[in-house]
Amino acid sequence: MTFRIWLAAVAALAAAPGAHAAIHQYSYDPADAATRAAAGGVTFMVNQSLFGGARVLKMRATEAKATADLERADPGALGRGGTRILGTDAPAHDLYRIGSGDDGPAFVAALCPGSKRGWVALSPVRYGEDVQAVVFGDDPAGGAARMCRKLAFTFRGEWRLPGGAPPATEATEAPGFPN
Protein backbone atom coordinates (compact mmCIF):
# COMPACT_ATOMS: atom_id res chain seq x y z
CA MET A 1 0.00 0.00 0.00
CA THR A 2 2.81 2.42 0.85
CA PHE A 3 4.38 1.92 -2.59
CA ARG A 4 1.07 2.83 -4.27
CA ILE A 5 0.85 6.07 -2.27
CA TRP A 6 4.45 6.91 -3.16
CA LEU A 7 3.79 6.14 -6.84
CA ALA A 8 0.67 8.33 -6.81
CA ALA A 9 2.63 11.21 -5.23
CA VAL A 10 5.36 10.95 -7.87
CA ALA A 11 2.75 10.90 -10.65
CA ALA A 12 1.02 13.97 -9.17
CA LEU A 13 4.29 15.86 -8.96
CA ALA A 14 5.20 14.98 -12.53
CA ALA A 15 1.78 16.11 -13.76
CA ALA A 16 1.83 19.44 -11.91
CA PRO A 17 2.10 22.53 -14.12
CA GLY A 18 5.66 23.78 -14.30
CA ALA A 19 7.01 20.68 -12.57
CA HIS A 20 8.44 19.22 -15.73
CA ALA A 21 11.31 21.64 -16.18
CA ALA A 22 12.78 24.95 -15.26
CA ILE A 23 14.87 27.21 -17.47
CA HIS A 24 18.09 28.52 -15.91
CA GLN A 25 20.88 30.73 -17.23
CA TYR A 26 24.32 29.94 -15.80
CA SER A 27 27.20 32.32 -16.46
CA TYR A 28 30.85 31.26 -16.68
CA ASP A 29 34.22 32.97 -16.82
CA PRO A 30 37.10 31.54 -18.85
CA ALA A 31 39.26 29.34 -16.60
CA ASP A 32 42.49 29.77 -18.57
CA ALA A 33 44.18 32.04 -21.11
CA ALA A 34 43.37 29.77 -24.08
CA THR A 35 39.64 29.83 -23.26
CA ARG A 36 39.73 33.61 -22.68
CA ALA A 37 41.31 34.13 -26.12
CA ALA A 38 38.98 31.75 -27.96
CA ALA A 39 35.62 32.25 -26.28
CA GLY A 40 35.70 34.68 -23.38
CA GLY A 41 32.88 34.32 -20.88
CA VAL A 42 29.73 32.39 -21.79
CA THR A 43 26.22 31.89 -20.50
CA PHE A 44 24.39 28.61 -21.04
CA MET A 45 20.57 28.48 -21.05
CA VAL A 46 19.63 25.13 -19.53
CA ASN A 47 16.31 23.28 -19.36
CA GLN A 48 16.51 21.45 -16.02
CA SER A 49 14.04 18.60 -15.54
CA LEU A 50 12.30 17.74 -12.28
CA PHE A 51 14.38 14.58 -11.87
CA GLY A 52 17.82 16.20 -12.33
CA GLY A 53 18.37 15.81 -16.05
CA ALA A 54 19.40 18.84 -18.05
CA ARG A 55 19.51 19.88 -21.69
CA VAL A 56 21.48 22.90 -22.83
CA LEU A 57 19.36 25.08 -25.14
CA LYS A 58 21.57 28.07 -25.96
CA MET A 59 25.09 29.36 -25.65
CA ARG A 60 25.64 33.11 -25.32
CA ALA A 61 28.84 35.08 -25.51
CA THR A 62 28.67 37.02 -22.25
CA GLU A 63 31.10 39.71 -23.38
CA ALA A 64 29.49 40.32 -26.79
CA LYS A 65 26.02 40.12 -28.26
CA ALA A 66 26.02 36.65 -29.80
CA THR A 67 23.71 33.68 -29.19
CA ALA A 68 23.68 30.20 -30.72
CA ASP A 69 21.09 27.47 -30.35
CA LEU A 70 22.42 24.10 -29.21
CA GLU A 71 20.68 20.90 -30.27
CA ARG A 72 21.46 17.45 -28.91
CA ALA A 73 23.43 15.41 -31.42
CA ASP A 74 24.39 11.79 -31.82
CA PRO A 75 28.17 11.17 -31.98
CA GLY A 76 27.51 9.58 -35.38
CA ALA A 77 26.88 13.12 -36.65
CA LEU A 78 30.64 13.67 -36.45
CA GLY A 79 31.04 11.24 -39.33
CA ARG A 80 32.91 8.01 -39.59
CA GLY A 81 34.26 7.08 -36.16
CA GLY A 82 32.26 9.79 -34.38
CA THR A 83 32.25 8.00 -31.04
CA ARG A 84 35.98 7.39 -31.34
CA ILE A 85 36.57 11.09 -32.09
CA LEU A 86 34.85 11.97 -28.80
CA GLY A 87 37.09 9.47 -27.05
CA THR A 88 38.83 10.58 -23.89
CA ASP A 89 39.15 14.20 -25.07
CA ALA A 90 35.48 14.91 -24.45
CA PRO A 91 34.49 15.74 -20.85
CA ALA A 92 31.23 13.86 -21.27
CA HIS A 93 29.27 12.40 -24.11
CA ASP A 94 26.67 15.20 -24.05
CA LEU A 95 27.18 16.32 -27.62
CA TYR A 96 25.37 19.34 -29.07
CA ARG A 97 25.28 20.70 -32.61
CA ILE A 98 25.81 24.45 -32.82
CA GLY A 99 22.75 25.76 -34.67
CA SER A 100 23.07 27.37 -38.09
CA GLY A 101 20.66 30.22 -37.30
CA ASP A 102 21.36 33.55 -35.62
CA ASP A 103 24.99 33.76 -34.52
CA GLY A 104 25.72 30.02 -34.79
CA PRO A 105 28.02 30.39 -37.83
CA ALA A 106 30.00 33.11 -36.00
CA PHE A 107 30.48 30.78 -33.02
CA VAL A 108 31.67 27.98 -35.31
CA ALA A 109 34.06 30.32 -37.15
CA ALA A 110 35.51 31.63 -33.88
CA LEU A 111 35.84 28.27 -32.14
CA CYS A 112 36.79 26.12 -35.13
CA PRO A 113 38.29 28.23 -37.96
CA GLY A 114 37.64 26.83 -41.42
CA SER A 115 34.60 24.76 -40.40
CA LYS A 116 31.04 25.47 -41.51
CA ARG A 117 29.37 23.15 -38.97
CA GLY A 118 30.31 22.73 -35.33
CA TRP A 119 29.57 20.62 -32.29
CA VAL A 120 30.43 20.98 -28.62
CA ALA A 121 30.74 18.18 -26.04
CA LEU A 122 29.95 19.53 -22.57
CA SER A 123 30.43 18.28 -19.06
CA PRO A 124 27.18 18.54 -17.07
CA VAL A 125 25.99 22.16 -16.86
CA ARG A 126 24.75 22.56 -13.28
CA TYR A 127 24.45 25.36 -10.75
CA GLY A 128 27.75 26.00 -8.99
CA GLU A 129 29.84 23.63 -11.11
CA ASP A 130 32.59 24.44 -13.58
CA VAL A 131 32.19 23.32 -17.21
CA GLN A 132 34.64 21.59 -19.55
CA ALA A 133 33.97 21.68 -23.30
CA VAL A 134 35.52 20.20 -26.42
CA VAL A 135 34.65 21.84 -29.75
CA PHE A 136 34.52 19.84 -32.98
CA GLY A 137 34.12 21.08 -36.54
CA ASP A 138 33.54 19.56 -39.93
CA ASP A 139 36.62 19.03 -42.06
CA PRO A 140 36.79 21.67 -44.83
CA ALA A 141 38.32 18.97 -47.06
CA GLY A 142 35.25 16.76 -46.60
CA GLY A 143 36.66 14.20 -44.15
CA ALA A 144 35.39 13.25 -40.72
CA ALA A 145 34.92 15.93 -38.10
CA ARG A 146 37.99 17.08 -36.20
CA MET A 147 38.63 18.28 -32.68
CA CYS A 148 39.29 22.04 -32.74
CA ARG A 149 39.90 23.04 -29.14
CA LYS A 150 39.28 22.38 -25.46
CA LEU A 151 37.65 25.05 -23.32
CA ALA A 152 37.41 25.39 -19.53
CA PHE A 153 34.95 27.64 -17.71
CA THR A 154 34.59 28.60 -14.06
CA PHE A 155 31.06 29.06 -12.67
CA ARG A 156 30.24 32.72 -12.02
CA GLY A 157 26.53 32.78 -11.17
CA GLU A 158 22.96 32.53 -12.37
CA TRP A 159 21.14 35.28 -14.26
CA ARG A 160 17.80 36.03 -12.64
CA LEU A 161 14.87 37.94 -14.09
CA PRO A 162 12.72 40.27 -11.96
CA GLY A 163 10.23 38.28 -9.92
CA GLY A 164 12.20 35.07 -10.46
CA ALA A 165 10.36 34.33 -13.71
CA PRO A 166 12.27 31.98 -16.01
CA PRO A 167 13.30 33.38 -19.40
CA ALA A 168 11.42 32.28 -22.48
CA THR A 169 13.45 29.76 -24.48
CA GLU A 170 13.27 32.14 -27.45
CA ALA A 171 14.44 35.07 -25.32
CA THR A 172 16.78 37.56 -26.94
CA GLU A 173 19.16 39.89 -25.22
CA ALA A 174 18.00 43.34 -24.22
CA PRO A 175 19.74 46.29 -25.93
CA GLY A 176 23.18 46.69 -24.43
CA PHE A 177 23.29 43.09 -23.10
CA PRO A 178 25.10 42.21 -20.84
CA ASN A 179 25.77 45.75 -19.55
Side-chain angles (χ1 to χ4, degrees):
M1 186 72 163
T2 306
F3 177 73
R4 288 185 185 175
I5 294 171
W6 178 83
L7 189 59
V10 169
L13 278 173
H20 294 290
I23 305 294
H24 296 277
Q25 294 187 93
Y26 302 134
S27 182
Y28 296 85
D29 291 327
D32 54 42
T35 301
R36 179 171 305 290
V42 297
T43 297
F44 293 107
M45 182 183 280
V46 179
N47 187 350
Q48 195 105 35
S49 76
L50 175 66
F51 296 108
R55 182 171 57 99
V56 181
L57 303 171
K58 293 181 183 287
M59 175 172 55
R60 292 186 169 135
T62 308
E63 299 167 7
K65 186 176 177 179
T67 302
D69 291 327
L70 297 179
E71 300 167 3
R72 285 227 172 151
D74 183 275
L78 298 176
R80 201 170 187 145
T83 303
R84 191 175 66 250
I85 292 169
L86 283 175
T88 58
D89 287 329
H93 290 285
D94 286 343
L95 182 68
Y96 295 89
R97 182 181 69 80
I98 299 171
S100 58
D102 297 324
D103 301 311
F107 271 96
V108 173
L111 298 175
C112 198
S115 293
K116 299 290 184 213
R117 294 178 309 165
W119 298 265
V120 60
L122 296 170
S123 63
V125 179
R126 296 185 186 122
Y127 182 86
E129 294 186 20
D130 296 345
V131 170
Q132 302 295 314
V134 178
V135 180
F136 300 90
D138 63 335
D139 181 0
R146 60 194 168 97
M147 186 186 85
C148 299
R149 68 180 74 236
K150 295 179 184 180
L151 303 170
F153 299 100
T154 304
F155 182 79
R156 181 173 181 91
E158 180 174 3
W159 290 89
R160 298 277 184 169
L161 293 177
T169 56
E170 292 81 29
T172 58
E173 294 86 12
F177 175 84
N179 298 325

